[in-house]
Amino acid sequence: MGPHDSSISAAAGSTSSSSSSSACSSSTKPPQPPDQMDHLLAGAGYKVRSNDLHQVAERLHRLETVMVKSNPLEISDLVNDAVHYNPADLASWVDSLLTELNTNPPVPVPTDLSDPHPNMNNMMYATNHAPHLQQVVAQPFEEDVSIQLVHVLMTCAEAVQRGDLSLAGLLIDDLQALLGRVNSGCGIGKVGSFFVDALSRRIVNSPENAAVHSDLSAYENEILYHHYYEACPYLKFAHFTANQAILEAFEGQDCVHVIDFNLMQGLQWPALIQALALRPGGPPLLRLTGIGPPSPDGRDSLREIGLKLAELARSVNVRFAFRGVAASRLDDVKPWMLQVSPKEAIAVNSIMQLHRLLGPNSSRGPPIDLVLDWIRDLNPRILMVVEQESNHNQPEFLDRFTEALYYYSTMFDSLDVCTAQPEKALAELYIQREICNVVCCEGLVRVERHEPLVRWRERLINAGFAPLHLGSNAFKQARMLLTLFSAEGYSVEENEGCLTLGWHSRPLIAASAWQAIPKPSPTMGPIIHP
């Protein structure tokens, strides 16, 4: 369905409207110092270096095998003498147990991920070789099963990258068994279940097939989006930070135009409308163009949102005009659809949308370059960009999988502090759809192509934009926002004029502001429909 638009306008004290046809751990984790402990396992109380994980997992496997063959009395003695060992230092602890059982010295295990288990037929873990181990070992050491879960996840992802789907399918069975031995309601159990589901979908379906997605309507996706907004501060941080920067960019302007790349439910704009209503000297004329997907049921949902915003604007005496542009993809939007006037001060607002343009090139060129080019032609006073602070756009599947497992484990850690239901459960489903797209999909259907701030900074500068420093007011607003959440783990940091919001020092989303550098060609005139 091609793009279409709907328009609404409201003057102070009256409302009128009109309309036209009207998407962990391994040696490939992000570079870390050689002696840095694994992030996920540290949270479980274990000290394991990231580059030692394969060796530790192998030792645990050997320990299970030895314990099965050992006399139960010997195992009982080990339990009684456990005070002599330090389970936090997992590698040394396992070695000490192996020594007590008079085993041979540990055999060096290759750290090269290319072939961590040469004889895969002999490594189907305890779930296949010794089911009764669940009674002997798994219950006292659930954290050890979590280590195995991460290890098998990585091994399965490696098999998928090699195209060995038969082996990957067998490993999925092992993963399902391991999930039954950990708490799947939180921590690695919760994250692991989502990644196992995503791997299963990828193995069964073609990665280029959109059927691997959870089939949700646009309306259902908006419901999940709303609960994600309520459950954690990430979207609120994006909206608060963007609104403050836009408000400062519009200072002294009498006619302003905001172009929102993802209107959704219009959650961002009531706060800006109220802030403009209180502006010294009176509010400006506010035009809002909201872009969103077409409604599959034929409703003009964009116009419905516009009517609600127009009513709010009327109640606070802000002159307001709304235009909805329905488009399945952002690169389907053409500048003439936005009806920009040269007398307007323009703000372009992109909240977690530009990464969706990083897919394969179209016949006209890279989608991201095309969109950034016409944004620059609009000469906005500000381009606001908020993106996930991660790199899920790597060409190698295993690299992408590793980064995603690390990133979303941290994201779910932060969600664990949310006690509100059903907000938390539905927010997790919203994130699960992202995980599914990152892991399952390739080609045009893989749209969650997140890249870190450093890459966006380079791309935007090359596209003809100059960075704008997010001022102290934006930083203060973000810090005040976190007071609404009881958890102390959230943190706002300043990064070369940009702001990041993270969990325990791990940045998860980044906000940056940009200004277009005028092209050397003559100034662009009014955009006329061809």
Side-chain angles (χ1 to χ4, degrees):
M1 183 175 180
H4 71 273
D5 62 81
S6 57
S7 303
I8 297 169
S9 62
S14 66
T15 305
S16 62
S17 66
S18 63
S19 67
S20 57
S21 54
S22 333
C24 255
S25 41
S26 84
S27 58
T28 56
K29 183 181 289 186
Q32 296 177 326
D35 60 347
Q36 184 166 337
M37 298 301 169
D38 183 86
H39 171 75
L40 293 175
L41 300 180
Y46 289 124
K47 293 187 282 186
V48 182
R49 294 183 177 85
S50 299
N51 55 8
D52 288 341
L53 184 58
H54 286 298
Q55 292 95 324
V56 173
E58 179 68 17
R59 290 168 186 167
L60 282 170
H61 181 47
R62 292 178 58 239
L63 176 61
E64 289 179 347
T65 304
V66 169
M67 294 182 77
V68 170
K69 297 177 180 179
S70 297
N71 187 309
L73 210 49
E74 294 175 343
I75 297 175
S76 176
D77 290 340
L78 282 178
V79 174
N80 293 335
D81 294 340
V83 69
H84 297 299
Y85 312 114
N86 178 15
D89 188 357
L90 195 57
S92 301
W93 179 60
V94 174
D95 282 342
S96 65
L97 289 178
L98 288 170
T99 302
E100 287 289 337
L101 290 169
N102 297 319
T103 62
N104 294 326
V107 178
V109 179
T111 60
D112 185 4
L113 251 183
S114 61
D115 192 12
H117 295 283
N119 188 0
M120 297 299 294
N121 292 328
N122 294 328
M123 60 119 337
M124 287 298 114
Y125 300 97
T127 53
N128 288 344
H129 282 213
H132 58 283
L133 271 181
Q134 294 182 14
Q135 299 177 2
V136 179
V137 178
Q139 291 178 359
F141 305 122
E142 181 176 321
E143 292 87 350
D144 300 348
V145 181
S146 298
I147 296 172
Q148 281 194 357
L149 178 63
V150 173
H151 179 59
V152 183
L153 273 170
M154 298 304 304
T155 306
C156 185
E158 184 194 9
V160 169
Q161 176 164 295
R162 292 198 313 263
D164 191 347
L165 300 187
S166 176
L167 172 60
L170 292 174
L171 291 172
I172 290 293
D173 294 337
D174 286 339
L175 287 165
Q176 296 287 3
L178 288 169
L179 286 174
R181 298 163 60 190
V182 296
N183 182 1
S184 61
C186 61
I188 189 61
K190 169 77 73 171
V191 180
S193 67
F194 287 159
F195 276 84
V196 171
D197 176 72
L199 284 170
S200 300
R201 290 172 181 265
R202 184 180 178 111
I203 292 169
V204 172
N205 299 276
S206 167
E208 287 77 18
N209 184 356
V212 298
H213 280 88
S214 301
D215 294 325
L216 295 178
S217 68
Y219 173 75
E220 291 170 326
N221 188 52
E222 287 188 6
I223 295 297
L224 296 183
Y225 181 92
H226 178 77
H227 287 290
Y228 177 62
Y229 177 88
E230 293 295 338
C232 53
Y234 301 112
L235 286 175
K236 289 186 176 74
F237 164 82
H239 292 173
F240 275 50
T241 304
N243 282 350
Q244 181 61 40
I246 291 171
L247 192 65
E248 293 175 5
F250 283 167
E251 185 175 357
Q253 302 297 315
D254 295 326
C255 183
V256 299
H257 187 176
V258 176
I259 300 169
D260 186 3
F261 279 179
N262 186 33
L263 183 66
M264 291 302 284
Q265 298 171 347
L267 297 174
Q268 180 173 347
W269 305 118
L272 181 67
I273 291 172
Q274 294 178 24
L276 290 173
L278 299 174
R279 196 178 74 168
L285 166 64
L286 171 62
R287 290 190 61 208
L288 174 62
T289 296
I291 301 171
S295 298
D297 56 5
R299 293 185 308 115
D300 194 344
S301 56
L302 294 175
R303 186 171 182 272
E304 292 173 6
I305 296 169
L307 285 170
K308 295 177 182 178
L309 293 173
E311 179 62 23
L312 171 64
R314 184 198 62 78
S315 69
V316 294
N317 296 316
V318 173
R319 293 170 296 153
F320 179 82
F322 176 84
R323 182 177 183 81
V325 177
S328 299
R329 293 174 53 89
L330 190 55
D331 49 320
D332 289 336
V333 177
K334 305 298 184 292
W336 61 262
M337 300 175 184
L338 309 175
Q339 297 187 356
V340 172
S341 166
K343 298 179 181 179
E344 298 172 337
I346 300 170
V348 177
N349 185 70
S350 176
I351 306 297
M352 303 180 188
Q353 292 301 303
L354 290 185
H355 68 261
R356 302 172 74 88
L357 299 171
L358 299 178
N361 294 350
S362 67
S363 58
R364 297 173 295 152
I368 184 66
D369 292 349
L370 296 171
V371 172
L372 289 178
D373 188 61
W374 66 249
I375 293 175
R376 186 183 180 191
D377 286 339
L378 295 178
N379 193 28
R381 293 183 68 87
I382 186 172
L383 165 62
M384 195 68 206
V385 176
V386 179
E387 287 289 339
Q388 289 87 341
E389 183 61 8
S390 191
N391 191 2
H392 299 148
N393 196 31
Q394 302 176 75
E396 293 293 329
F397 172 74
L398 186 60
D399 294 340
R400 191 164 74 243
F401 183 90
T402 305
E403 174 72 10
L405 186 58
Y406 179 52
Y407 177 84
Y408 287 109
S409 295
T410 307
M411 178 70 75
F412 274 92
D413 282 347
S414 73
L415 272 178
D416 280 343
V417 302
C418 174
T419 58
Q421 293 289 359
E423 282 78 7
K424 178 182 178 182
L426 293 175
E428 289 172 347
L429 289 179
Y430 181 84
I431 299 173
Q432 182 185 16
R433 295 192 74 216
E434 282 190 9
I435 294 172
C436 185
N437 190 267
V438 171
V439 174
C440 296
C441 299
E442 297 293 348
L444 289 173
V445 294
R446 180 158 67 86
V447 295
E448 301 297 346
R449 296 174 174 268
H450 314 136
E451 290 191 351
L453 177 60
V454 63
R455 296 283 296 275
W456 284 111
R457 187 179 280 130
E458 178 183 355
R459 177 178 288 110
L460 288 161
I461 290 175
N462 290 338
F465 292 86
L468 289 175
H469 194 285
L470 291 173
S472 58
N473 287 335
F475 183 81
K476 291 176 183 177
Q477 289 250 2
R479 293 294 297 272
M480 288 174 58
L481 168 66
L482 296 185
T483 63
L484 302 176
F485 294 82
S486 57
E488 298 180 354
Y490 293 110
S491 60
V492 177
E493 302 292 340
E494 191 271 341
N495 181 344
E496 297 183 28
C498 307
L499 295 182
T500 63
L501 174 61
W503 178 253
H504 290 300
S505 76
R506 171 38 160 122
L508 293 175
I509 65 171
S512 59
W514 303 84
Q515 188 172 35
I517 300 173
K519 292 182 178 179
S521 57
T523 305
M524 179 181 172
I527 301 170
I528 302 174
H529 193 304

